[in-house]
Structure formats: structure tokens, C-alpha cells
Amino acid sequence: MNRRLAIKQGSMALVGLGLGACRTMSRQDVGTRNARPARHLAPVLASWDRVLRTTVGLRPHRKSGFVLRADQLGDKMLIHNYGHAGAGMSIAWGCGVVASELALQTEARRVAVIGCGSPGLCAARQLQRRGFDVTIYAMTVPPDTTSNMSLAGFTPTTALIDKDQRSPAWDAQFLRVAEISYRELQLMVGRQYGVHWMDAYNATNDPAPGAGGGRGGGRGNYATDAELLPDSLRPNRTRELLGPGEHPFPTKYATRTLALSIEPSIYLDALVRDVLFFGGRIVIRKFDTPRDLTTLSEPIIVNCTGLGSFTLFDDKELVPVKGQLTALVPQPEVDYRASGPTAGGVNATMNARSDGIIVGNLQDPGNWSLEPDEEVRQRNVNAAIEFFSSMRAPAPGVGLTRSEPPRVVPPVEAFFDAES
């Protein structure tokens, strides 16, 4: 018996002892089991007197998807890494890897990263991991970047590319950066980076998969999760249907999925600290033309300017997709996301974060305004008040159902390399 087989057999015995709750149920088990216990969720206290702020962000959408390639700018290598739309928080780590690989094709080891949002910070860290000396140049830094205004989570396809603009080469590049980013974000789970697993509930009266939406406010011809992602990367791949009495929402059914959530203020500040800790610099500077970039001393430039490339590089394919969120007073006891329909047909959405209960969502293509839309604010907050006031509160003394990380036993082969 070789070492791999011996350990595998031994570990399977341990799995059998330690994970009895995961055993396969027999027909008798299925026929006799009682209904699942109800999920007891902390009520969301939505009211106008709890409103803290309303924020607006502009997603940089390109019909043909993000740009990730190397060009020449005079005697400098120019690496474009922009146009991630609503996926800038989701796929930035993978895009940073590709940008680093392009930079490694030169002998130079000094890089200027333009932009200090999620794409710029992640690219800077991936470059540092590969031995580059990095300086970030940006007009604004957290908490004043577009990335800070996002709902934030692993949503790698949000307003990313139009359905009819995909190509096999683009799809392959996207799939690679999405896989890299998803793995990286999983490794960052914890308080330090503000990344965590969270239950996401979608209340609905129709139990069919996909019924009820849950993304809210979308307009456009965007490719969907189902079109762009394999099952292993879909944020809603683990779907549990809850029936009457098993959930507290004012609908007949609710679905529960597991979401990877990001708190922008914690996450971006942590990335800034990491860049500085590993020897990076941040310089506040504005660039009006590509010629301004040629004055930099660094021989490699990574462009992570998002919508800034509309004017800086005359990319008129860029279109803003306006988003708007309203924050209510934080509730530490609420640790889940939820959405559902109101009687008037408006979809209420809520995302719990340490900086507030975030309600509403919006996808408004072509709108350059950074001013909050009062009609949208009224609609979002009133929908939240109507929907969440109808939630059934837990009975006194009942323990709350908490969000938990995924419980997946890794395969034994994951502990061995090719030589084992």
C-alpha cells in the first residue's frame, strides 16, 4: 500500500466518523423526516429616520467588455486594465495577474499604476508579488473612489459585456481572471479584509429556478451569469428552496444561496495598507493626456482609470452605468442579504454591512450624473420599509439563524502534489 492510498483510506475513515450528519439518507429517512426548522432571521429595521446617506457610483461599461492588453506609448509599455463595469471588485485580482504577466515580458521592474480603485490596487499587489517596484498615481484614493460606492461582492458579470459582443478569446480570458479572483477572495475571508460568506435570500411566490430576479433595477443587453460562467463560479449555484413556515418573508417561498460579500471601506483600506507595507508609494496626480504619462520615470504603465479612459485615451465605447445605494443605521445582528417583491411590484433589496444596512440598487446606462436621484431614493427606501416591515420576527428567546461559510470537505488529493 503506497502512502497516498494509506492516508486516503485512513482519512476516509475519519470523515465517516466526523461527518455523520452528511450521510446519504435512505428512503425511510426521506419519508419520515420532519419539515425543516424555520430560519429565524433578525428583523431589518427600515424607516426614514434611520437613513444615513445615499451614494452614487458610475460603472465603466464597454459593450465589448473590459480591456486587458499591452500597447506601446513612446518608449514605455502601456498595459490597459479597465472597463470592468460592475465587476471591478470581483475580477480585479485575476486581471492583475494578466497585467503582471505582460509586464514580465520586459526587463524593467519599475511600474506606474494609474488609478487607486479595486483594479489599480489589485494590479499593484500582483506586481509587487512578482518583484516589481510600484508607484500608484491617482486623482482620488479610498474612500473616494468609484469602487467605494459599490454594493460589492463576487458578482463577476454585472453589466460586464453585451450579449452579442462576446468572442471565444474574450470568454477564455474572462473565465481565467474570474477563477483566479474567486480563489483569491476566498483566501481573504476574515475581519482584516472585510470579505465574508453571507446567506442571500430571495423571497418569491414562484419556486421555479430564476423566478423573482433578485439583482434589481437592471436595464441593458448584458450577458448573464448563466451565459458566461460555469456552475462552479456562479454566485447562486447553491440554491435551497424554503417553503411556507421555513422562512420569515411575506411570500410563499424563499430561496437561499451563499454569497461572497465584500465591505468596500474595509477591503480597499486594507489593500492600500498592503501596497504601502510592501514598499509601494501613492502619489496624488491627475493626467489629462497620454503625453502627460510619458513624463513618468517608470518604463511600464498600467492604466486602471476606469471611466477616466473615456477622455484620457479617447475610448468612446465607455458608457457609465449609474448605480445608487442608500445606507440605513447598521444592525450587527443582521448578517444576511435579502430581496423580494412589494405589493406594488417594486423589488426591495438589502445588504447588511458593518457601515450600514444598504438598500436599493440601480443600473442606469448612459447617465453621467453623480447626484442622487430623489425619485430612485424614495422608491428604494419605501420598498425596503414595506417589504421588511412584513417580515415575521423571531419568537422571544429563539436563537437567530446565522450565515455560515460553506461546509465542503476538500478531496484528499488536494493535500498531495504530483510527486506524492
Side-chain angles (χ1 to χ4, degrees):
M1 181 182 295
N2 62 32
R3 181 170 59 127
R4 180 191 295 268
L5 182 59
I7 297 179
K8 183 171 183 177
Q9 290 184 352
S11 63
M12 288 301 99
L14 291 175
V15 169
L17 289 172
L19 299 175
C22 297
R23 66 187 176 89
T24 303
M25 290 189 296
S26 67
R27 286 185 181 274
Q28 185 176 5
D29 292 330
V30 174
T32 59
R33 80 170 177 87
N34 296 325
R36 289 170 296 187
R39 302 189 75 84
H40 304 290
L41 304 178
V44 176
L45 306 178
S47 62
W48 278 103
D49 62 349
R50 296 178 68 85
V51 170
L52 296 177
R53 62 188 180 276
T54 295
T55 61
V56 171
L58 303 181
R59 308 173 182 97
H61 170 69
R62 301 176 79 256
K63 288 185 176 182
S64 60
F66 59 86
V67 181
L68 188 53
R69 67 168 188 265
D71 287 331
Q72 202 68 25
L73 182 65
D75 60 351
K76 299 180 185 297
M77 171 182 269
L78 173 64
I79 300 171
H80 288 297
N81 178 20
Y82 71 92
H84 306 95
M89 296 284 279
S90 301
I91 62 175
W93 285 106
C95 290
V97 167
V98 175
S100 301
E101 291 170 346
L102 293 170
L104 284 168
Q105 295 176 14
T106 74
E107 297 298 322
R109 289 298 178 266
R110 291 189 304 117
V111 181
V113 173
I114 315 301
C116 200
S118 172
L121 289 167
C122 291
R125 287 294 298 120
Q126 296 290 32
L127 287 159
Q128 287 179 324
R129 290 172 176 177
R130 289 155 180 82
F132 286 89
D133 181 10
V134 177
T135 300
I136 295 177
Y137 297 88
M139 283 197 309
T140 57
V141 298
D144 297 321
T145 70
T146 298
S147 297
N148 284 96
M149 308 305 161
S150 62
L151 186 62
F154 186 70
T155 55
T157 67
T158 303
L160 185 60
I161 186 172
D162 283 18
K163 296 174 185 287
D164 54 358
Q165 294 288 317
R166 296 166 56 197
S167 70
W170 188 92
D171 280 7
Q173 185 183 64
F174 164 71
L175 184 58
R176 184 184 178 218
V177 301
E179 288 176 334
I180 293 170
S181 300
Y182 190 38
R183 180 177 293 272
E184 181 79 26
L185 288 169
Q186 292 176 47
L187 297 175
M188 299 174 78
V189 168
R191 291 185 178 182
Q192 179 181 355
Y193 289 99
V195 181
H196 47 266
W197 294 100
M198 175 179 285
D199 285 337
Y201 296 91
N202 180 37
T204 179
N205 289 306
D206 185 349
R215 285 293 181 90
R219 301 206 303 264
N221 188 39
Y222 311 130
T224 64
D225 285 353
E227 293 167 320
L228 291 176
L229 295 173
D231 286 344
S232 61
L233 287 178
R234 290 184 194 174
N236 60 351
R237 69 187 182 280
T238 55
R239 180 180 183 270
E240 179 185 15
L241 180 65
L242 305 175
E246 296 178 343
H247 64 86
F249 302 107
T251 52
K252 188 172 183 179
Y253 300 99
T255 60
R256 184 185 70 87
T257 58
L258 196 58
L260 194 56
S261 180
I262 304 170
E263 299 211 31
S265 58
I266 300 174
Y267 179 73
L268 295 170
D269 280 355
L271 294 186
V272 168
R273 288 195 297 270
D274 284 354
V275 168
L276 298 177
F277 179 81
F278 286 97
R281 295 191 309 139
I282 297 178
V283 176
I284 305 300
R285 181 169 174 181
K286 183 177 184 294
F287 300 93
D288 295 315
T289 68
R291 179 175 294 181
D292 295 338
L293 294 172
T294 63
T295 65
L296 296 174
S297 64
E298 292 84 0
I300 303 172
I301 298 172
V302 181
N303 168 38
C304 302
T305 58
L307 276 175
S309 292
F310 181 87
T311 54
L312 185 58
F313 292 100
D314 197 34
D315 186 347
K316 295 304 186 280
E317 188 182 340
L318 277 165
V319 174
V321 180
K322 182 177 181 177
Q324 180 170 308
L325 302 170
T326 296
L328 310 183
V329 174
Q331 291 182 245
E333 72 278 13
V334 178
D335 71 337
Y336 59 92
R337 293 181 177 183
S339 65
T342 64
V346 178
N347 196 59
T349 66
M350 180 281 298
N351 180 35
R353 298 194 324 213
S354 62
D355 63 338
I357 297 292
I358 312 300
V359 301
N361 202 351
L362 178 69
Q363 289 186 22
D364 189 5
N367 191 338
W368 286 89
S369 173
L370 288 169
E371 293 298 317
D373 185 318
E374 182 59 25
E375 181 181 347
V376 172
R377 191 174 83 106
Q378 292 279 338
R379 182 173 68 242
N380 287 343
V381 176
N382 286 332
I385 293 171
E386 179 182 347
F387 179 79
F388 292 108
S389 65
S390 300
M391 277 184 66
R392 183 178 67 252
V398 173
L400 295 177
T401 303
R402 310 298 297 179
S403 291
E404 296 180 347
R407 292 188 238 178
V408 179
V409 180
V412 174
E413 287 77 12
F415 297 97
F416 298 94
D417 58 28
E419 303 301 320
S420 297

